[in-house]
Amino acid sequence: MAARIPIDRIRNIGISAHIDSGKTTLTERILFYTGRIHKIHEVRGKDGVGAKMDSMDLEREKGITIQSAATYCVWVGSQNQIAPQNINIIDTPGHVDFTIEVERALRVLDGAILVLDSGKGVQSQSITVDKQMKRYRVPRIAFVNKMDNPGANYERVSDMLKEKLNHHPVKLQVPMGAESAFKGLIDPIIGKAFFFEGADGEIIKEVEIPEEYKKAAADARHQIIQDVADVDDVLAEKFINEEPVSVDELRAAIRRATLALKMTPVMCGSAIKNKGVQLLLDAVIHYLPNPTEVVNEAHDQAKGEEKVIVQSDSTKPFVGLAFKLQQDKYGQLTYFRVYQGSVTAGDTIYNTSNEMRKVRVPRMFRMHSDDREEIESAEAGDIVAFYGVEASSGETFTDGKVNLTLTSMHVPAAVISLAVAPKDRAGETNFSKALNRFTKEDPTFRVHQDEESQQTIISGMGELHLDIYIERIRREYGCEVVSGKPQVAYRESVTKKAEINYTHKKQTGGSGQYAKVMGYIEPLPADAVESYEFVDDVSGGSIPREFISSCDKGFKDAVRKGTLIGFPIVGIRCAVNDGAAHAVDSSEMAFKTAAMMGFREAYAKAGATILEPIMKVEIDVPSEFQGSVVGQVNQRRGVIMDTIAGDTVTVTCEVPLNAMFGYSTDLRSATQGKGTFTMEFSKYAVVPRQEQEEMIKKYKEHLAAEAKK
């Protein structure tokens, strides 16, 4: 077994971007140049093999990434100039429906590469990915890809990072040419030019800067020093005193500022034309953190969830996070990031998120997409996969010496539901097996039983998300599925304050039931984080303390299902400020019922309204189709937010989700198949009055029909 690479030479990075920016192509090149693969396959290649990191048949057919894939490689520098570095990479999907894959990858990574299209720059999904990187405080390098494409503009994309994402971008390279004339790159920091030759760009020629670029390179170096000095005090001092800055000093300053999230190094190249990828790998080593340079927090369950720092030290007790599950023909693979300590095959580890349940680690692997290499042990900083360890996404494991749970990842709410059932009775077992597995693997894929219709309802992030799962049930479990019309996740809310004054009295043989609840309900402010808030304003003991929580429970039960169309009620504050109790007849049940009934009475007077999910939609079309696309958006009650014209037109708009069903077909036919769009949840907004009345009428008819049965 090869000697272990020390922790300060490990990089855990993710590659994230808007759909179709070339993430998977870039990862494929990285694997080729580091010797992990010996032949490059394209995402939509004619050889039918598909990219290494797209291992699912569905991914290869559709030419998109659906699941994040992990791999690792060893890099020795573009000129064999550095000690071997171990780079663990997670290639994530760009499509917004698979946003949880990006979320969970960024939760366990130390650094990231944000890939941008040189012609389109910062797109809607780039903004979402950037938000996720900020949430987990992940330092990143921006890579402006597709420099060989028409409209390529390195400077403009760098400016967009500042305008749209609020970054402090610093361009570390000078491209030689652009579009079809793009031939190489200059590194002004060291004052050299690079050309990429050979069939796959594997031969790197380092030469003196051509005469015509010498001034541009000198200006670029001065600009880098000035831009980094703005955010780094050590370099600022040298800059003010006009002292010379060495290569090492400049790189150290860029590293400090990048790790402190004060700047974003911007680089460029063309993955598909094999230019610039090796220099990007050098920058990952120079400017992105090793595991010891990242602060990882956990909660100590033994000390009332007190915050503690988990140290990237292999001699400390083991702490690891299960961040992804995957089923294959041999069983369940659980992907782990080891944060502290070490773990060896055969060890017993404890699930601290699940009452210290103990499990044995039978076998351990390093992953290379769908290939695996068995290993005996893993240490702090490693990303590995365990076989036969039962877990759910986001659970923490330790060696039992500590009881820590790592902070969990953010799971966005589902926006779309679908009633599904197996086509025939024979498929029922496989159908439920598939649903069980997918809900464990993907926290944004939810399954529940509708109480009234007894139908199985699946919910997710979009039509494509649910379509992919239905297709996977058919392929992987041999079970045909029938599905109903997609159901939008509507919500109900209130628009004004209404008083609660309800007395619950019931006299039966023996002790009766008595509870009086007074208070109010009102809308929460628009910027409230939670969707429900309980306020206890009771003074003087008019309601005994032990019954206050029962009022809260009663309200919570009431908001689960509104009376307008039967959807949950959000954005509401429920307050109790007075009431009365009986020494014998009052009980938790009585107060819970009083709160629930009082809420319903008040809800009818509080200007109840229906909310619908509004999606942020970004449409890319050739400019000649702009008129018909705008017309389609208007027909669907959409509001145009922004239009960027170039060779292609990018229209950003907000459209109700209910109006977006079947849009991909309409867009294709209106643009001769040349239009593409992405869509993500933006906010909830009030449904127009006329539609609300129609929805309420339908719901009442449905209730009446159910009552007759």
Side-chain angles (χ1 to χ4, degrees):
M1 197 175 151
R4 183 179 168 82
I5 289 177
I7 194 165
D8 62 344
R9 299 213 307 263
I10 291 176
R11 299 289 182 275
N12 291 315
I13 63 163
I15 298 182
S16 309
H18 186 89
I19 193 164
D20 261 354
S21 299
K23 292 177 308 302
T24 303
T25 306
L26 175 63
T27 312
E28 200 75 359
R29 297 308 184 273
I30 289 173
L31 297 179
F32 178 72
Y33 297 134
T34 54
R36 286 296 289 153
I37 57 174
H38 303 294
K39 190 174 186 318
I40 292 171
H41 296 289
E42 301 306 345
V43 175
R44 294 184 177 88
K46 293 187 173 61
D47 56 8
V49 177
K52 174 69 194 166
M53 300 304 280
D54 286 345
S55 57
M56 278 170 73
D57 290 343
L58 265 170
E59 293 180 310
R60 290 176 175 169
E61 283 168 30
K62 291 180 180 285
I64 60 169
T65 303
I66 292 168
Q67 289 187 328
S68 55
T71 187
Y72 72 97
C73 54
V74 174
W75 182 238
V76 291
S78 56
Q79 307 291 315
N80 292 326
Q81 80 276 29
I82 51 178
Q85 311 274 331
N86 183 0
I87 306 178
N88 292 312
I89 301 171
I90 298 185
D91 172 32
T92 60
H95 203 289
V96 66
D97 284 19
F98 309 108
T99 190
I100 190 65
E101 293 287 342
V102 185
E103 201 75 50
R104 63 165 128 224
L106 290 174
R107 169 65 188 83
V108 298
L109 292 168
D110 304 326
I113 298 171
L114 174 64
V115 185
L116 300 161
D117 184 314
S118 66
K120 294 173 180 166
V122 174
Q123 296 167 272
S124 64
Q125 192 60 15
S126 325
I127 297 170
T128 306
V129 167
D130 184 67
K131 251 189 225 155
Q132 292 169 316
M133 288 178 183
K134 282 175 180 156
R135 182 181 294 133
Y136 300 111
R137 298 188 58 75
V138 176
R140 80 284 286 187
I141 292 172
F143 180 67
V144 180
N145 193 18
K146 303 189 178 184
M147 282 298 292
D148 57 307
N149 270 13
N153 191 329
Y154 179 49
E155 279 74 22
R156 190 177 76 92
V157 177
S158 180
D159 292 343
M160 285 174 88
L161 280 166
K162 191 182 176 86
E163 291 157 18
K164 291 198 166 189
L165 302 180
N166 239 347
H167 285 213
H168 178 59
V170 181
K171 298 189 287 292
L172 300 189
Q173 291 171 319
V174 175
M176 290 186 278
E179 303 183 345
S180 58
F182 177 60
K183 56 182 185 284
L185 293 161
I186 292 166
D187 181 348
I189 295 172
I190 59 170
K192 295 284 183 192
F194 294 88
F195 293 96
F196 305 88
E197 297 177 352
D200 296 308
E202 71 279 15
I203 302 162
I204 306 161
K205 272 182 71 178
E206 182 183 312
V207 297
E208 291 304 316
I209 297 171
E211 199 56 47
E212 70 266 33
Y213 286 106
K214 278 195 170 159
K215 187 180 181 313
D219 292 348
R221 193 177 202 275
H222 182 75
Q223 192 61 49
I224 292 170
I225 294 169
Q226 189 177 332
D227 289 346
V228 179
D230 286 345
V231 288
D232 183 78
D233 295 343
V234 181
L235 195 66
E237 205 168 308
K238 281 191 142 312
F239 180 67
I240 292 162
N241 297 330
E242 296 185 359
E243 292 173 33
V245 178
S246 72
V247 170
D248 289 345
E249 285 170 336
L250 185 47
R251 280 183 177 158
I254 294 171
R255 181 180 184 81
R256 282 193 299 271
T258 305
L259 298 198
L261 302 177
K262 289 179 179 171
M263 69 163 269
T264 303
V266 187
M267 304 187 69
C268 66
S270 166
I272 202 142
K273 290 284 193 287
N274 311 311
K275 289 181 172 68
V277 176
Q278 298 96 321
L279 302 184
L280 175 66
L281 277 171
D282 287 350
V284 165
I285 306 305
H286 290 314
Y287 309 128
L288 290 183
N290 67 51
T292 64
E293 294 171 306
V294 178
V295 176
N296 293 300
E297 285 185 342
H299 297 281
D300 192 338
Q301 299 302 322
K303 294 183 181 168
E305 299 224 339
E306 184 186 301
K307 272 191 180 173
V308 291
I309 302 294
V310 178
Q311 291 168 354
S312 300
D313 180 343
S314 57
T315 62
K316 302 252 183 206
F318 166 72
V319 180
L321 181 78
F323 68 95
K324 177 178 163 65
L325 312 182
Q326 200 176 324
Q327 197 85 12
D328 70 4
K329 54 180 183 271
Y330 305 112
Q332 181 177 299
L333 262 180
T334 307
Y335 285 76
F336 266 81
R337 161 74 195 261
V338 183
Y339 280 99
Q340 181 178 285
S342 62
V343 61
T344 305
D347 283 359
T348 297
I349 56 174
Y350 295 81
N351 186 335
T352 60
S353 310
N354 197 336
E355 296 165 352
M356 297 297 273
R357 202 176 71 230
K358 67 177 185 177
V359 284
R360 193 172 153 276
V361 181
R363 298 171 75 192
M364 202 185 310
F365 298 89
R366 262 189 210 288
M367 297 305 294
H368 176 42
S369 187
D370 57 344
D371 297 337
R372 54 188 67 83
E373 174 192 318
E374 188 151 4
I375 53 172
E376 282 306 305
S377 67
E379 291 183 6
D382 287 346
I383 290 178
V384 292
F386 295 172
Y387 246 130
V389 171
E390 273 297 306
S392 292
S393 264
E395 289 184 335
T396 305
F397 285 76
T398 70
D399 55 7
K401 292 178 190 153
V402 287
N403 186 0
L404 305 178
T405 53
L406 290 150
T407 50
S408 61
M409 56 198 160
H410 169 77
V411 179
V415 294
I416 184 169
S417 303
L418 205 56
V420 289
K423 206 168 189 177
D424 48 55
R425 294 296 294 270
E428 276 177 12
T429 312
N430 276 0
F431 179 69
S432 46
K433 261 189 205 162
L435 294 184
N436 275 337
R437 175 190 146 193
F438 295 149
T439 47
K440 274 183 87 173
E441 284 181 12
D442 181 352
T444 59
F445 178 72
R446 299 161 169 101
V447 178
H448 74 275
Q449 201 84 13
D450 186 276
E451 288 170 19
E452 288 173 11
S453 65
Q454 292 305 304
Q455 286 178 307
T456 301
I457 309 292
I458 58 173
S459 309
M461 305 306 297
E463 273 185 288
L464 180 67
H465 190 207
L466 300 185
D467 284 350
I468 292 284
Y469 277 117
I470 288 171
E471 184 64 15
R472 286 182 67 187
I473 293 170
R474 191 175 70 74
R475 289 186 187 202
E476 294 170 36
Y477 287 87
C479 171
E480 291 291 336
V481 175
V482 286
S483 58
K485 180 183 178 288
Q487 172 66 65
V488 174
Y490 289 104
R491 294 289 178 263
E492 296 186 23
S493 192
V494 294
T495 53
K496 58 187 184 188
K497 189 173 177 177
E499 300 297 323
I500 296 173
N501 187 342
Y502 190 86
T503 308
H504 174 63
K505 265 189 198 167
K506 211 169 183 189
Q507 204 57 51
T508 50
S511 64
Q513 286 183 32
Y514 178 85
K516 181 175 186 178
V517 173
M518 294 167 77
Y520 60 88
I521 61 172
E522 65 179 3
L524 279 171
D527 58 355
V529 179
E530 297 299 324
S531 63
Y532 163 83
E533 191 183 293
F534 175 68
V535 178
D536 167 18
D537 266 344
V538 177
S539 54
S542 54
I543 296 178
R545 297 313 305 161
E546 68 265 27
F547 297 138
I548 299 290
S549 64
S550 307
C551 297
D552 185 16
K553 282 178 192 160
F555 290 142
K556 277 182 178 158
D557 275 1
V559 300
R560 276 195 195 123
K561 199 171 180 183
T563 51
L564 296 181
I565 54 167
F567 277 86
I569 300 166
V570 296
I572 194 161
R573 179 181 287 131
C574 303
V576 187
N577 53 24
D578 203 356
H582 186 277
V584 179
D585 292 353
S586 284
S587 64
E588 284 189 11
M589 194 62 217
F591 272 95
K592 188 177 164 186
T593 308
M596 197 157 98
M597 301 310 287
F599 177 92
R600 285 189 183 154
E601 271 189 5
Y603 187 60
K605 300 177 284 194
T609 189
I610 302 168
L611 306 176
E612 64 182 342
I614 302 291
M615 309 305 280
K616 182 181 174 191
V617 182
E618 189 171 282
I619 310 157
D620 273 319
V621 292
S623 46
E624 68 261 31
F625 301 115
Q626 183 176 350
S628 51
V629 164
V630 169
Q632 278 185 343
V633 169
N634 292 335
Q635 277 173 349
R636 292 170 184 266
R637 292 200 285 122
V639 178
I640 308 268
M641 312 300 284
D642 191 16
T643 306
I644 300 166
D647 295 334
T648 61
V649 173
T650 303
V651 179
T652 307
C653 50
E654 289 187 342
V655 190
L657 174 61
N658 194 35
M660 286 302 291
F661 294 130
Y663 179 63
S664 51
T665 314
D666 288 0
L667 179 66
R668 255 184 246 124
S669 55
T671 61
Q672 297 167 9
K674 293 172 187 166
T676 59
F677 78 99
T678 58
M679 165 169 97
E680 63 183 300
F681 173 73
S682 170
K683 60 185 179 188
Y684 270 99
V686 175
V687 174
R689 176 59 50 199
Q690 204 177 340
E691 278 192 39
Q692 285 205 35
E693 285 165 7
E694 195 62 38
M695 289 163 78
I696 293 165
K697 187 179 159 199
K698 270 190 189 159
Y699 181 62
K700 282 181 178 161
E701 284 168 5
H702 166 72
L703 289 181
E706 287 295 313
K708 278 181 187 170
K709 282 181 184 175

